[in-house]
Amino acid sequence: MCRSENAGNPVQLVQFAEYAVKSGHVDIAVDCLQLYFSLNPPVNQFLIRAHLCKALVASPLNCSERAKFLEATQQLQTAVNIAVKFECYHFLVYNASVALWKLCRPLQKPGYQRLCAKPLQNMVKALEEIGEQDSSWRIELLMGLALSYLDTGLKEEATKALNSAIQLARRDVPDQLVNLLKFQIQNQLGDLKSCEKDIKASPELHAWNKLYKLKSSLNARSSIQQHSLQTPELKQKLQALLTDVVSEPNSFGPQSSFSPHSQVLRELMTAEQACSTEALYTKQAVEARLKAIKRTEEALSSATRTGDPDLVQRSCVLLWNLGLPLLQHNLCHHLLNPFRAATTALQNIDSLLHSLRCCIHFELAKVLAEDGQLQAAQDHVKKALLLDYAGEYTEQLNHFQSRVALRAQLFDTPQNTLDKAAKIIEQVGTNPGPGDISALLIQAGDLMAPNCFLHMVSSFEVTKSPSELEPDSNGKKLQLYEQVVQKVADHAKVVGSDSDRERCHLWSDLVKTARKAGVWSVATAAAKLCLVYDDGRWSCTPGTKRYRSRAFSLEAAGQQRASSTMARHSRRTVTKQTKPLLGVLANVHCLHAEALIYMLQQDGLKLGVLPKLPDKPLTGDKVLAGIQEAHQNYCNWAQGLTNDAQKSFLKTAELGLSLQEPWLVCNAATYLWNHNRHLIEDGKLVDLVVVLRTMASFLKQVQSHINSELLSHISAVLACGIIQRWMPVAPGPSSDVTASSVRKKVRLAVAGRGATPKKGKSGGEVQMDPEAAPHIKEALDICEAAMSMAHSGAGLRVRWYVLSAWVQCKQLLQQPVPRDTLGHDNQADPQLSHCRAIVATEMIEKLGNGIWDFPNCPTLNEVYDLIKATSPWEDRDIQLELLTKLTGVAITQKEYGIATALAEAALQLEPSNHAHQDQKSIHPSVMEYELLSHACCLLGQSIEATANGGRQQVQKAIEAYFRVLGCVQFGHEAKNYSLVIKACQHYWNACLPVSGCAADRAILQQPLSQLLKFLESFNAKKGYQNTSHTQGGASGTKELSLSHDLQVAMYGLVFEMYFDQALWKEGLKAVEEAMQHTPKDIHRHLMQYKLVFKSKVGRSVDAEFVHFQVSTTVI
């Protein structure tokens, strides 16, 4: 309080109030001003200063205090109205404008700028009325007024304010004219024709105008894709624009290329270009990104020294965007220092990028909390809450703040039950200790759901019985799962709205912690209880779709001002109330699906694959009936888990679509694709049609914000699944030579596994089901839509998948393939010629399959010439696969000459022949070795098929050996045991016609011995026999049996060669070596040869006879 003796001196009261405001003693300033106005002061400068001081006292602390802002602006307006009347007090009008700008600047954000429109308008009029000479300051206020009008939606008033600023700049401040015109071009204010002279006079403005027009034309396309920036048309325009800029570098300012501003921009561009790669998480990509972040951090320091706020903001935005992919648990610690530098730099310039600053503080808090620096984490959370003016992250920030506070209370026991559960979850997540993690997690879940959680966890912990023949072993799984579903339904009835938001977050944390700890039973139970809250209580109100990513953009932040305020406000209200919790539910849906899939895997099952009934059931009708009933219940349980998992993935995508978060939709589609990949590779696509159709519809709604390859993949599989149901198939050996033996491919699954199209009675075309036509047309439409989308940036491999399904649809509908479908201009897009070669290969491969032959199908020579003419290929594996496929078709058509040429052309693509061209050739893929192995095998078949018998048959067999030897070597590199067996089998079949004559089979001794050494080396490395190619129950056993039979037959022929030459000692040595390197399963077959050889050299055979006595071998 002021002293009573000072009450008679109003001047001192005002001065003392001003000093109190500067010192932070607002309460003293309020008392002084109340006392001053109670004295009925005269109209002078101190009355004006008192009103100004009163405005400072009423200044709001944050954007939500609108009443204080209105009161402060009213006091400023009162002061200005008095000062304008007296010329000697005009300087106070300028002071009032500075105070007003301090009030308005924190409100320069979408949704709040409209509050500044009226005060700024009055202030601009007052400055114009007194004839203020500081034109730069008046232009600054006019720019703020224009932004306020734009936020309100008054575009005409914004244009008038901007025109006034442009006139002032032309008259007094020409240096600011460029920035004003940039603002006018960006927001499309007024007629740009009036500024054509100014734009043409400035090369910088001219280039900037061209670039903005180009971006506007791209944004105007409704069907634009993410990768459309790589189209040749756009590249040509950008190249022309770059040429114009580079041709006159001095036009952008004297020595602009050597200025600190330009050097910082150059560093930022270099750092951004260094990370322009799609492979985000390879070791090289992460190291390159870390180097780019370090370079950007140094550029930020340089930008800070230049004092340019815009340059500082650009550096911080790039630093955030570069660091986004590294916000992982094992990589985020690299971002601690860069993000600290960014927050400090943005705080020093009082940046208006509040959303960016909030996000950086939030991520810093997460990193520090994970490192144990809880107090520092809490400080960053508080700063983030102050910057979150729109409330977009308030839910997550408050939740995280409460968790950090619980972790900080080491020795306190919370009184609230939910806090107790939260503390247990935090203890397990941060420092589990030596105790039982599962017991702690179960304790936390039991605190939140004491009536059902323990029962659910115990139900999920039931393991598979070792004997599938016991009726109660696996059949009770269905009963237990139904009880769990009923428990969840009962729990949903008692769940109210009391603390439901906190409970949802707690269940989500428990799911994530249990999944990380590997306690899947707890994760499954917690996920089901968390999804109880997905009952529509937090439904998202549909509004204008405005998808965005976490990547920040300065231009995007500026363009938000031109949006409708009412629509933006309604979306923001929905976001604050629903978005955080719906995002939590979307993540839990995905984790729930993973937990169900893990339950299937624990029983040795896969998603969508039902268990099989044992081949040897127990005898007895009652026992058999019990087994069948238990097995049916077991299948129903597996099918129920499959359906729930698929629905959870779809629900994740649906929530991502409602939240307008494309990355959620894309992640859900990726999970769905990966977990169903075994069904796709096995050709069981009919079961996936409904799921993939729904997912494809979700992806199409966000296709302009995601990578088009994923949608192209799903579209191709969806089309194949639709037409697979209507493919005319019949049991029998497949006529395709190259498809299923090399690699399981999506496009080859259309005809089904082990099936060929039915032939008519007269060998004619198959009559299609009349009901199939609309379904095939649907698949054709899906393929054509995917083709148009794939051409905007998808790789050639993805295009192949789509084109293969498209050709199949054309054949089923008996529609010829137009020759001009893919265009003729190879220079515009070189991949079009590659696509033509793929289409031609697919057409010729489908000849003679009994469905319909294309009338304009090219010949083998034409396709071969087309493949050669389209070189070089961006993916050499595709060229190799095309040549291998054509080789198999040529052998099927008995065109052995062209088959030999195609196979030799394929072998020319061996990695050793191209190791100097690219880095990929140094490390070839497994698929490449498999294709080369298959090409060698086909070449050997082609050579062997041209033999006419007799001596020529022997020579061809010897020549084919060298090809088969290459096949075995490539199969060895690919670690594919089945390819080696297949190659040896083909060679054995080629040797059979000449094995009857002793003179002929003597030539085959060296090749057969060499092949047997390869087989022995494979037997020594059991890991090759346990690869994915030989796993799978009956198929793996059959392949192993074939390998043993083949070895026995080849060894028998080699030993007969020793018999022919009477080389008994050498034969005995060969048998003993063979028995050392072969499995024991075939020793009994080799023992008879050993017995003969030992008897011939005069050695005792008692040990061999003892072996036959203890074994079941019959001599």
Side-chain angles (χ1 to χ4, degrees):
M1 293 292 297
C2 299
R3 294 183 179 181
S4 59
E5 55 269 19
N6 293 332
N9 192 346
V11 174
Q12 292 184 358
L13 287 174
V14 175
Q15 292 175 344
F16 193 72
E18 291 175 343
Y19 181 78
V21 170
K22 292 180 181 179
S23 303
H25 302 284
V26 180
D27 53 344
I28 298 177
V30 170
D31 294 338
C32 293
L33 291 175
Q34 288 179 352
L35 184 59
Y36 173 77
F37 283 106
S38 66
L39 298 176
N40 194 15
V43 178
N44 54 24
Q45 66 165 319
F46 293 102
L47 177 62
I48 302 173
R49 290 167 60 180
H51 282 290
L52 293 178
C53 188
K54 196 172 182 180
L56 295 177
V57 169
S59 299
L61 298 178
N62 53 60
C63 300
S64 61
E65 298 177 346
R66 300 189 181 187
K68 288 187 176 182
F69 176 79
L70 295 176
E71 181 184 355
T73 54
Q74 185 178 2
Q75 293 296 328
L76 289 176
Q77 185 61 40
T78 303
V80 169
N81 292 338
I82 298 174
V84 168
K85 298 177 182 179
F86 303 96
E87 185 176 356
C88 58
Y89 299 151
H90 283 180
F91 70 94
L92 291 176
V93 177
Y94 184 89
N95 293 351
S97 66
V98 174
L100 177 63
W101 184 247
K102 289 182 179 179
L103 287 174
C104 293
R105 191 178 186 280
L107 300 179
Q108 297 299 305
K109 60 191 72 171
Y112 292 89
Q113 286 178 317
R114 65 182 186 277
L115 299 175
C116 307
K118 190 64 176 178
L120 284 175
Q121 181 185 9
N122 296 332
M123 189 61 66
V124 167
K125 289 182 179 179
L127 291 175
E128 183 180 1
E129 184 178 347
I130 67 174
E132 176 60 43
Q133 299 299 317
D134 192 349
S135 299
S136 299
W137 178 242
R138 292 174 60 185
I139 291 174
E140 185 80 16
L141 294 178
L142 285 169
M143 286 283 290
L145 179 60
L147 290 173
S148 301
Y149 281 140
L150 285 175
D151 189 67
T152 312
L154 302 175
K155 198 169 184 178
E156 294 182 1
E157 285 75 4
T159 303
K160 293 179 181 179
L162 183 61
N163 289 336
S164 301
I166 291 175
Q167 291 177 5
L168 279 176
R170 285 174 178 168
R171 187 186 65 189
D172 299 329
V173 194
D175 294 340
Q176 294 191 13
L177 184 60
V178 173
N179 294 330
L180 292 174
L181 293 177
K182 282 184 178 180
F183 181 81
Q184 183 180 14
I185 294 172
Q186 180 179 357
N187 294 278
Q188 295 294 301
L189 296 177
D191 188 8
L192 295 178
K193 294 182 179 179
S194 60
C195 304
E196 284 185 356
K197 294 183 179 180
D198 298 313
I199 294 176
K200 292 180 179 180
S202 172
E204 182 181 0
L205 272 179
H206 185 62
W208 205 87
N209 187 33
K210 282 187 176 180
L211 182 61
Y212 186 79
K213 287 182 178 179
L214 185 59
K215 292 174 62 177
S216 300
S217 64
L218 290 176
N219 294 332
R221 301 178 187 177
S222 59
S223 61
I224 183 173
Q225 302 295 323
Q226 179 183 5
H227 291 274
S228 60
L229 294 177
Q230 301 176 0
T231 57
E233 179 184 359
L234 181 58
K235 287 182 179 180
Q236 185 177 3
K237 291 182 179 180
L238 289 175
Q239 186 64 34
L241 180 59
L242 181 61
T243 303
D244 294 341
V245 173
V246 175
S247 61
E248 298 181 1
N250 296 327
S251 301
F252 295 88
Q255 298 181 351
S256 59
S257 59
F258 300 99
S259 64
H261 187 280
S262 299
Q263 292 178 2
V264 173
L265 286 177
R266 191 181 298 110
E267 288 293 324
L268 294 178
M269 291 176 61
T270 304
E272 188 172 11
Q273 292 174 358
C275 297
S276 57
T277 176
E278 295 183 0
L280 295 177
Y281 298 111
T282 61
K283 183 178 180 181
Q284 295 80 1
V286 171
E287 291 177 352
R289 189 168 291 271
L290 290 175
K291 291 180 181 178
I293 290 175
K294 183 64 176 178
R295 194 164 191 168
T296 307
E297 187 179 1
E298 295 174 355
L300 175 60
S301 302
S302 303
T304 304
R305 289 192 293 269
T306 62
D308 187 351
D310 183 65
L311 198 59
V312 172
Q313 290 187 145
R314 289 185 180 276
S315 303
C316 294
V317 167
L318 179 59
L319 199 59
W320 168 257
N321 292 337
L322 291 177
L324 271 179
L326 303 183
L327 292 178
Q328 311 293 330
H329 290 292
N330 58 334
L331 298 174
C332 59
H333 62 278
H334 294 290
L335 302 175
L336 186 60
N337 292 331
F339 278 6
R340 277 176 173 170
T343 55
T344 303
L346 292 173
Q347 184 178 358
N348 291 338
I349 64 173
D350 194 16
S351 173
L352 297 177
L353 301 179
H354 297 89
S355 180
L356 174 65
R357 295 171 63 184
C358 175
C359 291
I360 297 178
H361 279 294
F362 195 9
E363 295 301 333
L364 276 175
K366 293 179 181 178
V367 176
L368 292 171
E370 190 172 353
D371 194 36
Q373 304 180 38
L374 303 181
Q375 185 59 45
Q378 288 180 340
D379 295 340
H380 281 286
V381 171
K382 292 178 181 177
K383 293 179 181 179
L385 285 170
L386 292 176
L387 292 169
D388 187 23
Y389 68 92
E392 187 175 2
Y393 304 100
T394 303
E395 182 84 24
Q396 298 96 312
L397 288 169
N398 288 333
H399 176 69
F400 182 79
Q401 189 178 31
S402 63
R403 294 295 179 272
V404 174
L406 285 175
R407 288 176 57 185
Q409 301 171 0
L410 295 178
F411 305 104
D412 296 340
T413 302
Q415 300 297 325
N416 189 3
T417 303
L418 297 182
D419 290 341
K420 292 180 181 178
K423 190 164 186 178
I424 294 174
I425 296 173
E426 287 296 322
Q427 177 185 353
V428 175
T430 57
N431 187 18
D436 187 4
I437 297 178
S438 177
L440 291 174
L441 293 176
I442 293 174
Q443 180 184 356
D446 190 47
L447 286 172
M448 292 186 289
N451 297 325
C452 60
F453 189 76
L454 289 176
H455 179 269
M456 293 175 63
V457 172
S458 60
S459 299
F460 290 135
E461 287 179 346
V462 176
T463 58
K464 182 180 180 182
S465 173
S467 175
E468 296 186 2
L469 303 180
E470 300 178 9
D472 296 333
S473 60
N474 300 316
K476 65 180 180 181
K477 287 180 176 291
L478 177 63
Q479 181 182 359
L480 291 174
Y481 190 71
E482 290 176 348
Q483 293 176 1
V484 168
V485 173
Q486 185 61 40
K487 286 284 185 182
V488 174
D490 295 339
H491 181 74
K493 295 178 182 178
V494 300
V495 168
S497 59
D498 185 24
S499 65
D500 54 351
R501 305 171 75 91
E502 185 177 359
R503 286 179 177 274
C504 181
H505 280 293
L506 277 175
W507 284 121
S508 172
D509 292 341
L510 182 58
V511 174
K512 296 176 183 178
T513 305
R515 178 186 181 277
K516 185 177 180 181
V519 188
W520 287 97
S521 58
V522 176
T524 310
K528 287 189 173 295
L529 292 174
C530 181
L531 296 180
V532 168
Y533 298 96
D534 189 17
D535 55 359
R537 67 181 68 192
W538 300 314
S539 60
C540 187
T541 303
T544 304
K545 292 184 179 179
R546 196 174 185 181
Y547 302 108
R548 60 183 182 82
S549 63
R550 295 193 70 188
F552 202 83
S553 171
L554 288 173
E555 295 180 0
Q559 291 173 358
Q560 289 180 357
R561 305 185 181 97
S563 304
S564 172
T565 304
M566 296 301 295
R568 188 193 311 110
H569 181 67
S570 63
R571 286 195 299 271
R572 186 171 61 248
T573 302
V574 170
T575 298
K576 287 192 296 184
Q577 295 177 353
T578 64
K579 186 171 183 178
L581 294 166
L582 290 180
V584 169
L585 292 175
N587 291 327
V588 173
H589 269 294
C590 205
L591 295 174
H592 174 244
E594 280 193 307
L596 296 180
I597 294 172
Y598 179 81
M599 289 177 61
L600 290 172
Q601 293 175 349
Q602 287 296 101
D603 275 31
L605 303 177
K606 293 182 179 180
L607 189 67
V609 180
L610 297 180
K612 295 182 180 180
L613 191 67
D615 296 333
K616 297 180 180 180
L618 297 178
T619 58
D621 294 339
K622 293 184 178 180
V623 177
L624 183 59
I627 293 174
Q628 291 177 347
E629 182 181 359
H631 178 73
Q632 184 61 40
N633 291 335
Y634 189 43
C635 291
N636 294 338
W637 170 80
Q639 186 63 45
L641 292 185
T642 298
N643 294 337
D644 290 346
Q646 306 280 32
K647 290 178 182 178
S648 291
F649 286 134
L650 293 178
K651 188 63 177 179
T652 301
E654 182 182 352
L655 289 174
L657 195 64
S658 301
L659 295 172
Q660 302 173 10
E661 293 287 358
W663 65 271
L664 266 177
V665 183
C666 187
N667 284 0
T670 303
Y671 273 103
L672 184 69
W673 175 271
N674 290 336
H675 286 294
N676 288 283
R677 192 160 187 171
H678 59 281
L679 295 177
I680 298 172
E681 292 178 346
D682 293 341
K684 301 177 181 178
L685 306 182
V686 177
D687 300 334
L688 298 176
V689 169
V690 177
V691 177
L692 293 181
R693 183 185 283 119
T694 307
M695 185 61 72
S697 65
F698 292 152
L699 288 173
K700 288 178 182 178
Q701 298 183 56
V702 296
Q703 62 181 353
S704 59
H705 302 269
I706 63 173
N707 193 323
S708 59
E709 289 197 8
L710 178 61
L711 182 53
S712 300
H713 273 293
I714 292 180
S715 299
V717 176
L718 176 59
C720 292
I722 293 174
I723 65 179
Q724 188 183 57
R725 176 186 174 188
W726 305 101
M727 284 291 295
V729 296
S734 176
S735 61
D736 184 70
V737 180
T738 65
S740 59
S741 59
V742 179
R743 193 165 63 96
K744 299 172 183 177
K745 305 181 71 64
V746 172
R747 60 181 181 279
L748 300 176
V750 179
R753 293 171 59 86
T756 55
K758 290 181 180 179
K759 300 285 185 178
K761 293 182 179 180
S762 59
E765 297 175 1
V766 176
Q767 297 297 325
M768 295 294 297
D769 191 337
E771 297 180 0
H775 300 279
I776 304 301
K777 289 180 180 178
E778 178 192 0
L780 182 64
D781 294 338
I782 293 173
C783 291
E784 291 178 348
M787 286 166 59
S788 61
M789 178 178 52
H791 287 313
S792 64
L796 189 59
R797 176 69 63 180
V798 183
R799 296 192 189 189
W800 191 350
Y801 297 156
V802 179
L803 289 172
S804 177
W806 179 73
V807 172
Q808 185 70 74
C809 292
K810 284 286 187 180
Q811 186 185 37
L812 291 173
L813 294 173
Q814 298 186 4
Q815 297 178 1
V817 176
R819 290 187 176 272
D820 57 346
T821 300
L822 301 173
H824 296 282
D825 188 5
N826 296 344
Q827 299 299 327
D829 188 358
Q831 283 198 355
L832 292 181
S833 57
H834 298 162
C835 292
R836 282 197 292 274
I838 291 174
V839 170
T841 304
E842 294 293 334
M843 290 173 63
I844 199 171
E845 183 192 14
K846 293 174 174 56
L847 280 178
N849 60 0
I851 299 179
W852 183 70
D853 291 341
F854 292 99
N856 56 344
C857 183
T859 63
L860 281 169
N861 286 319
E862 291 175 350
V863 179
Y864 181 34
D865 294 338
L866 187 58
I867 294 176
K868 290 191 297 183
T870 56
S871 297
W873 290 68
E874 64 176 22
D875 190 347
R876 200 172 59 251
D877 290 350
I878 296 179
Q879 184 184 9
L880 175 59
E881 193 167 352
L882 286 175
L883 292 172
T884 307
K885 182 185 288 288
L886 286 176
T887 305
V889 174
I891 292 177
T892 304
Q893 298 180 3
K894 298 183 179 180
E895 298 286 346
Y896 300 114
I898 186 63
T900 302
L902 287 167
E904 290 178 348
L907 294 177
Q908 291 298 319
L909 300 175
E910 184 182 350
S912 59
N913 298 333
H914 302 270
H916 63 284
Q917 293 183 3
D918 51 35
Q919 186 68 21
K920 180 183 176 182
S921 302
I922 302 177
H923 305 286
S925 62
V926 173
M927 184 194 71
E928 192 170 356
Y929 280 127
E930 290 179 347
L931 289 171
L932 289 169
S933 176
H934 194 70
C936 287
C937 189
L938 291 175
L939 182 57
Q941 293 180 52
S942 177
I943 294 173
E944 188 269 335
T946 58
N948 296 324
R951 215 48 207 172
Q952 186 181 7
Q953 184 77 28
V954 179
Q955 297 298 330
K956 291 294 183 180
I958 295 297
E959 186 177 354
Y961 156 72
F962 295 102
R963 304 304 180 186
V964 173
L965 185 61
C967 176
V968 173
Q969 290 174 344
F970 287 126
H972 181 277
E973 293 292 340
K975 298 182 180 180
N976 191 331
Y977 190 65
S978 60
L979 287 178
V980 177
I981 296 299
K982 182 180 178 181
C984 295
Q985 183 181 5
H986 279 296
Y987 187 71
W988 171 253
N989 293 334
C991 294
L992 280 179
V994 298
S995 61
C997 177
D1000 291 340
R1001 64 174 174 244
I1003 306 177
L1004 304 176
Q1005 182 175 4
Q1006 183 179 358
L1008 286 175
S1009 301
Q1010 185 69 24
L1011 291 179
L1012 284 170
K1013 287 183 179 179
F1014 271 104
L1015 291 176
E1016 291 172 0
S1017 65
F1018 276 101
N1019 289 328
K1021 300 178 180 180
K1022 296 297 182 182
Y1024 290 169
Q1025 298 184 19
N1026 297 325
T1027 59
S1028 60
H1029 301 278
T1030 59
Q1031 290 179 350
S1035 61
T1037 305
K1038 182 179 179 180
E1039 184 178 87
L1040 188 61
S1041 176
L1042 177 63
S1043 169
H1044 292 172
D1045 295 342
L1046 186 61
Q1047 284 183 279
V1048 170
M1050 294 175 68
Y1051 274 120
L1053 184 58
V1054 171
F1055 295 152
E1056 286 184 14
M1057 298 174 188
Y1058 285 108
F1059 291 160
D1060 296 337
Q1061 303 174 31
L1063 300 175
W1064 313 117
K1065 293 183 179 179
E1066 291 79 358
L1068 178 60
K1069 182 179 179 181
V1071 172
E1072 292 175 347
E1073 290 180 356
M1075 296 182 67
Q1076 292 178 1
H1077 299 94
T1078 54
K1080 293 183 179 180
D1081 296 344
I1082 65 176
H1083 284 183
R1084 60 189 181 90
H1085 299 287
L1086 303 181
M1087 191 64 68
Q1088 52 186 330
Y1089 296 103
K1090 184 178 180 181
L1091 189 149
V1092 174
F1093 282 125
K1094 292 188 71 174
S1095 63
K1096 289 292 184 180
V1097 296
R1099 295 175 58 179
S1100 174
V1101 294
D1102 294 340
E1104 282 69 24
F1105 275 109
V1106 171
H1107 171 78
F1108 284 117
Q1109 289 176 359
V1110 298
S1111 68
T1112 59
T1113 305
V1114 179
I1115 303 179

